[in-house]
Amino acid sequence: MAKILIVEARFYEHLNDLLLEGARAAIDAAGHSHETVTVPGALEIPGAVALASESGNYDAYVALGVVIRGETYHFEIVAGESARGLMALSMDGLAIGNGILTVENEAQALTRARPDEKDKGGEAAKAALAMLALQGRFG
């Protein structure tokens, strides 16, 4: 049984609750255990994953958050840099599922976050588990 760390940005709590529901359900269905830690925003997720990986306590990571486009360039920075940070960690060998939604509006986020619709939280958890399986195969 693997131990999965879910790192979530609680900036949009109602949306993140849906992402968490999907991720936890997918991990539970696969028979693994999980813990959740919270960070202020999506930019802090890669740093939290990096810190947690140093502990050696987790086998895989699920990143959850929501970035909604606003009126400024900040959206591009948050979306791009959080994805870049997670990609760098995955290239270093960590099994990570990226469930950070980058959307134009709340309606898009709701559709993607709801477990009975696009279930991006569940998909991110499944991606982390798939990458963990590849680690086992190639590691």
Side-chain angles (χ1 to χ4, degrees):
M1 173 171 52
K3 188 168 186 181
I4 313 302
L5 181 66
I6 300 170
V7 180
E8 58 143 352
R10 294 293 298 175
F11 196 80
Y12 297 101
E13 290 192 20
H14 66 294
L15 297 170
N16 238 65
D17 286 343
L18 296 167
L19 290 169
L20 270 172
E21 181 183 340
R24 289 175 174 160
I27 295 167
D28 290 341
H32 301 293
S33 67
H34 53 83
E35 290 182 25
T36 302
V37 296
T38 301
V39 297
L43 281 175
E44 291 77 33
I45 292 173
V49 170
L51 288 171
S53 73
E54 292 175 9
S55 74
N57 292 333
Y58 304 99
D59 301 301
Y61 305 86
V62 179
L64 299 178
V66 179
V67 183
I68 299 176
R69 184 180 299 278
E71 297 177 2
T72 68
Y73 184 70
H74 187 67
F75 170 87
E76 282 83 3
I77 292 171
V78 174
E81 291 302 311
S82 61
R84 185 197 60 76
L86 292 174
M87 183 58 68
L89 291 167
S90 69
M91 295 298 289
D92 286 341
L94 297 184
I96 302 173
N98 184 351
I100 301 174
L101 304 182
T102 53
V103 297
E104 298 291 328
N105 54 53
E106 185 175 348
Q108 289 178 351
L110 281 167
T111 297
R112 286 158 179 76
R114 288 185 180 123
D116 62 344
E117 290 188 52
K118 294 198 180 255
D119 192 21
K120 294 300 183 180
E123 285 185 14
K126 290 174 185 174
L129 295 173
M131 294 306 292
L132 182 59
L134 280 177
Q135 272 184 348
R137 179 176 175 191
F138 296 124

